[in-house]
């Protein structure tokens, strides 16, 4: 359960005042066929989303989408870290964890989710806390989810025993954040920037408050804020609206409206009256320079202009910060974002530097680039590029109901979900003068937090406007009435197989096409490229990997920036790497997107300037891993379990070797890798969504049939190696969080009769939130925020892997290793119960169905199946075998293939204090 925001498009809402809507007659006229149960009132409908309200104050949003085979229920409580008092820092997030501990009716909520194969989580932010789950669409599942959420809203245990175990889990999550220099620096800067407002406090809180908050405070906080009049319930996906309304009325309508008055926050951050500075001194390898500026509330009329302004500054490679810092080699990478919040938020910009780069120079260039916009005004071209990018992101969001249902959380927290749509409209209307005025108003020295406070005799202060009247802004607002919908699609293997069109082009490319109507006419595709062999790739892994990264950095007809702009205009999200391409776009733009992808693959120019920038960025990334526990542990275990000669394609180089290889690499070597190896003779292309199959096949024939592999392709096998295990500690000084990694090689292929049993065995061991390792190490002992195991096997060779991962406080090193070994031994001795197995099988099969219902995942699967010469019949047989498993067959498979005495164990962290304490004793 993450303490930060769910990933969402960082919109900046620009709005005008509005008042409460009373348009029931007009709304009902739009959708006259939905019967509204007693106790519910319809408020409004905007672009396919309808709002209702119960008499107890609960607000309901319905976003039906029959093109999905799943439903997402998202419960948004209008309470976050902003509402915490003294001594309560992190309490909202801690309570979020406790809400998964259960009620009298649902004693094990996580197990409930696992049984249904649901994807679930909870998140806490400044202004809200939300809980959501995505599950297979059915009336029974929806009724279950609503009944569960209504019950835990008012009947959760919030018990002292649960707090005692979960507090250490949250503390471990806190410690994980302390490992990141960037995370700590940003927390320190917001704390310096906000003298009084709670936005200056980290959402996860302080260690002392996490460890010591009394259960009585948590219970009082829960009883006060977790009530129907402080909740917005979002239901999105495939469901019958009339039935959903009945369920909501039945489960939530009976909850009484509380008599208490909600406590409102009233602290207003004073106008900043001078520059502030923070210097953070910790172990690390990458320097960072950053600035922070106060902004108006997220609902303020200026915010669309601010969003555009931040985009103009932050974008790569066309943004001003990239051009001012990365291109002249003052920094390796840049970052920029704005926090769009209910009350006055902030903008944040940063630059990463290698240790040998002057920090003072980067700091000065960063400040000058952001604060010199009065002397170097925004241009019309910059504004239009940013506008295109933001509007494309919004359009893509609105076409994805699942993501939309979660993103609405942030706008609900700002004051009203409709702010999302009005913000889009404001971006369309924003003028160059408005954007320039925003730059002049807020990006000034007296409003900056860099870390050093320097008094000034003539302060120039940025007055932050008051919170606008949101209800008046949105009075009568309806938004765009046109909302495209997709077809109802059944993601069973049988139905998918029946609709797939397969063919092979004359050049050798294999195609798998699944046309269907989608919301927003979206289409996704996956291209897999196979090239080279063991001999031709010798000593070329660095060159070929960089060649892959260079493909999107310039072609014969487009610069790197022009490529980004071209894909933006096509509403296309394209990722290119050494193994192929992933594409997301819309039907109308698919042909031009494919033509541009072909240009990227076939006509790269490998610009010298981009080559040098990429090398610097890669070196900086490598250096940042020197002191990171997770990176160090992963490197050691990979090198131990997969030893290959240094010249081999599968060799894992040390960090020092990577630095030497990158420094020695020439641009000619990169170009030669592309010209001598890349081609489409051995390739697979899959596509799912709204498209014309014949048109796509003909276009691919034109674009790729003559792009032949210069050198014959032959798969480089990954061979099973019987490795002697080691148990090794790695010291990473000054890191609050440690990492446990264990692994072993398996002589196993995924067509082995035991493979299904091993998959479910691993699922029960550590592959789910109801697994044995999760229950013991996280739930019972509270040692780790994240513990998991994984098992995989090749489709080509007898080679597989089993691994375990956990994070923990360094002082718990012995406890976590002991708990791991005890659970592994218990499983190999006694196996699993029949109830455990049946629950695991049902949850695993439901999760596979949900995955098949996502077009991107389905396209990737179809492409991989072309490589493996498989059809969806493989899924049918695999899932049939899963359904037939018994506790006895699973235990037998585990005993046949897993010898936990062969586990290589690597622990990385700051263990110096433990060693010192032991020595003194």
């Amino acid at each position: 359960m993450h303490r930060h925001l769910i990933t969402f498009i960082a919109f900046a809402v620009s709005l005008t005042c509005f008042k409460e809507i009373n348009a029931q007659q007009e709304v009902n006229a739009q959708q006259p066929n939905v019967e509204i149960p007693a106790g519910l009132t319809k408020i409004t409908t905007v672009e396919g989303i309808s709002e209702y309200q119960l008499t107890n104050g609960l607000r309901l949003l319905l976003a039906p989408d029959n093109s999905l085979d799943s439903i997402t229920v998202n419960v948004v409580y209008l309470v976050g870290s902003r509402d915490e008092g003294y001594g309560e820092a992190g309490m909202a997030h801690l309570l979020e964890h406790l809400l998964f501990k259960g009620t009298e009716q649902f004693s094990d909520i996580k197990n409930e989710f696992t049984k249904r194969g649901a994807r679930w989580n909870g998140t806490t932010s400044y202004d809200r806390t939300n809980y959501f789950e995505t599950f297979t669409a059915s009336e029974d599942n929806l009724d279950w989810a609503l009944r569960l959420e209504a019950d835990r809203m008012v009947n959760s245990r919030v018990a002292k025993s649960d707090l005692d175990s979960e507090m250490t889990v949250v503390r471990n999550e806190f410690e994980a954040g302390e490992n990141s220099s960037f995370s700590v620096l940003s927390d320190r800067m917001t704390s310096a920037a906000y003298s009084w407002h709670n936005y200056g406090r980290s959402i996860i809180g302080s260690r002392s408050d996490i460890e010591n908050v009394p259960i009585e405070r948590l219970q009082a906080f829960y009883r006060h804020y977790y009530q129907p009049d402080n909740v917005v319930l979002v239901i999105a996906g495939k469901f019958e609206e009339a039935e959903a309304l009945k369920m909501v009325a039945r489960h939530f309508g009976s909850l009484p409206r509380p008599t208490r008055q909600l406590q409102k926050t009233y602290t207003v951050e004073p106008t900043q009256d001078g520059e502030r500075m923070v210097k953070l001194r910790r172990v690390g390898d990458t320097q960072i320079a950053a600035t922070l500026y106060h902004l108006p509330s997220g609902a303020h009329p200026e915010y669309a202009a601010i969003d555009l302004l931040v985009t103009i500054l932050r974008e790569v490679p066309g943004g001003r910060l990239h051009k001012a810092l990365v291109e002249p080699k003052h920094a390796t990478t840049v970052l920029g974002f704005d926090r769009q919040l209910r009350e006055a938020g902030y903008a944040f910009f940063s630059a990463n530097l290698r240790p040998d780069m002057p920090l003072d120079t980067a700091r000065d260039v960063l400040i000058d680039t952001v604060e010199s916009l009065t002397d170097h005004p925004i241009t019309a071209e910059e504004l239009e590029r940013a506008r295109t990018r933001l509007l494309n992101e919004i359009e893509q969001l609105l076409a994805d109901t699942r993501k939309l249902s979660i993103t609405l959380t942030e706008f609900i927290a700002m004051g009203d979900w409709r702010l999302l749509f009005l913000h889009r409209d404001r971006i369309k209307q924003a003028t160059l003068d408005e954007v320039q005025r925003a730059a002049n108003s807020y990006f000034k020295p007296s409003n900056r937090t860099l870390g050093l406070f320097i008094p000034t005799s003539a302060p120039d202060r940025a007055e932050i406007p008051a919170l606008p009247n949101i209800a008046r802004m949105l009075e009568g607002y309806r938004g765009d009435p046109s909302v495209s919908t997709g077809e109802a699609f059944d993601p069973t293997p049988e139905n998918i197989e029946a609709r797939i069109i397969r063919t092979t082009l004359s050049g050798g490319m294999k195609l798998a096409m699944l046309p269907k109507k989608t919301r927003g006419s979206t289409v996704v595709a996956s291209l897999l490229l196979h090239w080279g062999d063991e001999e031709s790739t010798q000593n070329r892994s660095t060159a070929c990997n960089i060649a892959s990264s260079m493909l999107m950095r310039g072609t014969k007809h487009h610069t790197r920036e022009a490529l980004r702009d071209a894909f933006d205009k096509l509403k296309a999200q394209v990722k290119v790497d050494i193994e192929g391409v992933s594409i997301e776009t819309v039907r109308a733009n698919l042909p031009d997107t494919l033509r541009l992808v072909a240009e990227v693959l076939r006509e790269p120019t490998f610009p010298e300037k981009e080559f040098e920038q990429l090398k610097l960025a890669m070196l900086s990334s490598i250096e940042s891993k020197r002191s990171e526990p997770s990176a160090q542990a992963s490197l050691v275990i990979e090198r131990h379990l997969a030893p290959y000669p240094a010249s081999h394609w599968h060799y894992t180089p040390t960090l020092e070797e990577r630095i030497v290889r990158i420094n020695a690499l020439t641009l000619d070597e990169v170009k030669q890798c592309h010209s001598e190896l890349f081609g489409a003779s051995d390739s697979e292309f899959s596509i799912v969504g709204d498209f014309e199959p014949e048109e796509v096949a003909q276009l691919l024939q034109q674009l790729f049939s003559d792009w032949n592999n210069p050198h014959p392709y032959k798969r480089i096998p990954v061979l099973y190696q019987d490795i002697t295990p080691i148990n090794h500690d790695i010291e990473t000084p000054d890191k609050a969080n440690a990492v446990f990694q264990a692994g072993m090689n398996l002589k196993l292929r995924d067509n082995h009769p035991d493979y299904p049993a091993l998959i479910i065995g691993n699922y029960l061991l550590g592959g789910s939130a109801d697994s044995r390792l999760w229950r013991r190490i996280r739930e019972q002992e509270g040692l780790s925020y994240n513990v998991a195991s994984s098992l995989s096997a090749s489709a080509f060779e007898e080679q597989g892997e089993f691994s375990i991962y956990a994070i923990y406080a360094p002082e718990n090193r012995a406890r976590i290793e002991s708990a791991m070994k005890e659970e592994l031994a218990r499983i190999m001795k006694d196996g699993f119960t029949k109830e455990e197995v049946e629950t695991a099988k049902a949850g695993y099969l439901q999760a596979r169905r949900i995955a098949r219902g996502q077009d991107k995942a389905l396209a990737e699967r179809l492409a991989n199946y072309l490589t493996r010469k498989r059809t969806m019949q493989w899924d049918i047989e695999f899932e049939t075998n899963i359904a037939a498993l018994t506790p006895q067959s699973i235990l037998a498979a585990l005993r046949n293939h897993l010898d936990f005495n062969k586990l290589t164990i690597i622990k990385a962290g700051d263990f110096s204090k433990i060693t010192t304490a032991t020595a003194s004793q």
Side-chain angles (χ1 to χ4, degrees), residues 133-289:
E133 51 269 4
T134 298
F135 43 84
T136 302
S138 73
E139 286 189 12
D140 177 69
N141 278 347
L142 179 56
D143 187 81
W144 154 80
L146 296 178
R147 182 161 50 91
L148 183 152
E149 293 294 355
D151 190 48
R152 74 166 163 178
M153 180 187 297
V154 294
N155 294 321
S156 289
R157 286 196 299 264
V158 193
K160 180 67 166 63
S161 58
D162 291 331
L163 173 61
D164 290 342
S165 64
E166 198 66 21
M167 178 278 290
T168 54
V169 172
V170 174
R171 185 175 59 191
N172 187 229
E173 184 182 0
F174 168 88
E175 291 160 345
E178 290 289 292
N179 271 13
S180 167
S181 299
F182 177 84
S183 176
V184 175
L185 178 62
S186 61
D187 282 349
R188 300 292 186 270
M189 289 176 65
T190 53
S191 179
Y194 288 91
S195 299
W196 305 106
H197 197 285
N198 266 8
Y199 285 170
R201 302 204 312 192
S202 171
I203 296 166
I204 200 170
S206 68
R207 178 188 287 269
S208 61
D209 287 5
I210 293 170
E211 293 174 340
N212 298 299
V213 63
I215 187 62
E216 293 79 12
R217 284 204 181 187
L218 279 161
Q219 291 168 342
F221 195 85
Y222 169 66
R223 289 193 296 267
H224 185 82
Y225 291 105
Y226 280 64
Q227 295 290 337
D229 63 342
N230 198 41
V231 172
V232 179
L233 170 64
V234 184
I235 304 175
K238 185 177 183 179
F239 59 88
E240 293 295 329
E241 293 186 61
E243 290 302 314
L245 290 173
K246 292 177 183 176
M247 294 178 194
V248 171
R250 180 167 63 251
H251 296 304
F252 290 90
S254 60
L255 301 179
R257 189 182 188 107
T259 56
R260 63 90 182 92
Q261 293 294 315
L262 271 169
Q263 297 175 9
K264 301 293 185 182
T265 58
Y266 46 80
T267 302
V268 176
E269 182 68 22
T271 300
Q272 186 169 320
D273 54 4
E275 302 92 324
R276 301 176 187 178
M277 184 175 183
V278 171
K279 283 188 177 180
L280 178 68
R281 298 186 187 275
R282 284 192 172 199
V283 172
D285 308 290
T286 301
Q287 302 180 88
I288 304 172

Side-chain angles (χ1 to χ4, degrees), residues 52 108 173 234 263 323 366 388 431 513 695 722 750 858:
Y52 301 82
D108 192 338
E173 184 182 0
V234 184
Q263 297 175 9
K323 291 182 179 295
L366 173 63
T388 298
T431 66
M513 300 178 286
E695 177 185 346
D722 190 3
D750 70 358
L858 180 56

Side-chain angles (χ1 to χ4, degrees), residues 127 255 448 472 683 686 706 712 732 770 783 861 895:
D127 302 309
L255 301 179
R448 178 210 316 145
R472 191 176 303 156
S683 61
S686 64
D706 60 342
T732 56
D770 194 38
L783 295 175
R861 179 176 300 197
R895 289 173 172 173

Side-chain angles (χ1 to χ4, degrees), residues 1-2 75 92-103 106-113 119-124 129-133 148-149 152 156-158 162 166 222 226 769 774-775 778-779:
M1 286 157 279
H2 309 299
V75 186
H93 173 247
L94 186 54
L95 182 60
E96 173 218 316
H97 278 243
L98 294 185
L99 262 288
F100 287 91
K101 291 298 185 180
T103 68
F106 297 93
S107 60
D108 192 338
I109 287 178
K110 294 173 185 175
N111 186 43
E112 289 283 338
F113 290 145
R119 296 184 176 187
W120 55 271
N121 210 337
T123 75
T124 306
T129 307
N130 77 315
Y131 305 82
F132 62 94
E133 51 269 4
L148 183 152
E149 293 294 355
R152 74 166 163 178
S156 289
R157 286 196 299 264
V158 193
D162 291 331
E166 198 66 21
Y222 169 66
Y226 280 64
W774 180 280
R775 284 183 172 274
R778 171 168 170 149
E779 301 292 335

Side-chain angles (χ1 to χ4, degrees), residues 206-505:
S206 68
R207 178 188 287 269
S208 61
D209 287 5
I210 293 170
E211 293 174 340
N212 298 299
V213 63
I215 187 62
E216 293 79 12
R217 284 204 181 187
L218 279 161
Q219 291 168 342
F221 195 85
Y222 169 66
R223 289 193 296 267
H224 185 82
Y225 291 105
Y226 280 64
Q227 295 290 337
D229 63 342
N230 198 41
V231 172
V232 179
L233 170 64
V234 184
I235 304 175
K238 185 177 183 179
F239 59 88
E240 293 295 329
E241 293 186 61
E243 290 302 314
L245 290 173
K246 292 177 183 176
M247 294 178 194
V248 171
R250 180 167 63 251
H251 296 304
F252 290 90
S254 60
L255 301 179
R257 189 182 188 107
T259 56
R260 63 90 182 92
Q261 293 294 315
L262 271 169
Q263 297 175 9
K264 301 293 185 182
T265 58
Y266 46 80
T267 302
V268 176
E269 182 68 22
T271 300
Q272 186 169 320
D273 54 4
E275 302 92 324
R276 301 176 187 178
M277 184 175 183
V278 171
K279 283 188 177 180
L280 178 68
R281 298 186 187 275
R282 284 192 172 199
V283 172
D285 308 290
T286 301
Q287 302 180 88
I288 304 172
T291 57
L292 182 153
Y293 303 86
H294 291 281
L295 296 175
S297 64
H300 194 272
E302 289 181 299
Y303 219 107
I306 293 170
D307 200 359
L308 289 161
L309 176 62
V310 172
T311 302
I312 289 167
L313 288 167
R314 76 182 179 203
E315 284 301 314
V316 176
R320 291 200 176 190
L321 289 174
H322 180 86
K323 291 182 179 295
L325 284 157
V326 178
E327 292 187 359
K329 300 182 182 178
H330 297 313
T332 59
T333 57
V334 293
L335 170 73
F337 62 86
D338 54 274
R339 290 306 298 266
Q340 184 183 0
L341 303 169
R342 184 176 182 85
E343 299 177 10
Y346 58 89
F348 189 99
F349 305 99
S350 69
N352 277 29
L353 293 78
R354 291 180 59 198
D356 57 353
M357 291 179 164
L359 185 59
D360 289 351
T361 300
R363 175 201 62 198
D364 293 343
V365 173
L366 173 63
I367 291 172
D368 183 68
T369 303
V370 176
E371 297 178 11
S372 65
L373 296 174
T374 301
D375 298 326
H376 304 284
I378 302 299
T379 67
E381 180 183 1
E382 288 176 312
L383 172 58
E384 291 308 314
R385 183 185 296 121
R387 194 195 314 273
T388 298
R389 191 151 299 155
L390 289 178
L391 291 176
N392 282 350
E393 289 173 347
I394 297 172
E395 183 172 344
Q396 290 162 4
L397 172 71
L398 296 179
D400 189 331
T401 304
R402 189 179 293 108
K403 289 182 181 178
L404 176 62
S405 66
I406 305 302
T407 302
L408 284 173
T409 300
E410 313 309 329
F411 293 90
I412 290 168
M414 267 182 270
D416 195 296
W417 60 277
R418 294 167 294 175
L419 294 173
L420 164 63
F421 300 95
L422 194 54
H423 170 61
R424 174 203 58 199
D425 300 347
R426 288 288 182 172
I427 287 177
K428 294 177 182 178
Q429 300 162 5
T431 66
L432 191 59
D433 287 344
E434 290 172 342
V435 176
Q436 188 62 51
R437 186 163 59 248
N440 299 343
S441 298
Y442 303 111
F443 294 164
K444 56 178 62 176
S446 66
N447 194 35
R448 178 210 316 145
T449 295
L450 178 69
L452 177 63
F453 177 74
I454 303 175
T456 176
S457 59
D460 179 15
R461 297 171 180 170
E463 299 290 342
I464 305 301
L467 183 69
N469 187 324
I470 299 172
R472 191 176 303 156
M473 284 183 192
L474 289 174
E475 181 180 6
Y477 182 73
R478 292 294 178 270
D480 188 347
S482 60
V483 178
S484 60
T485 59
E487 66 172 279
F489 181 75
D490 182 11
T492 61
E494 293 85 354
N495 185 54
I496 293 171
E497 180 63 30
R499 297 184 59 166
I500 296 174
I501 303 170
R502 295 187 181 88
T503 187
T504 302
L505 303 181

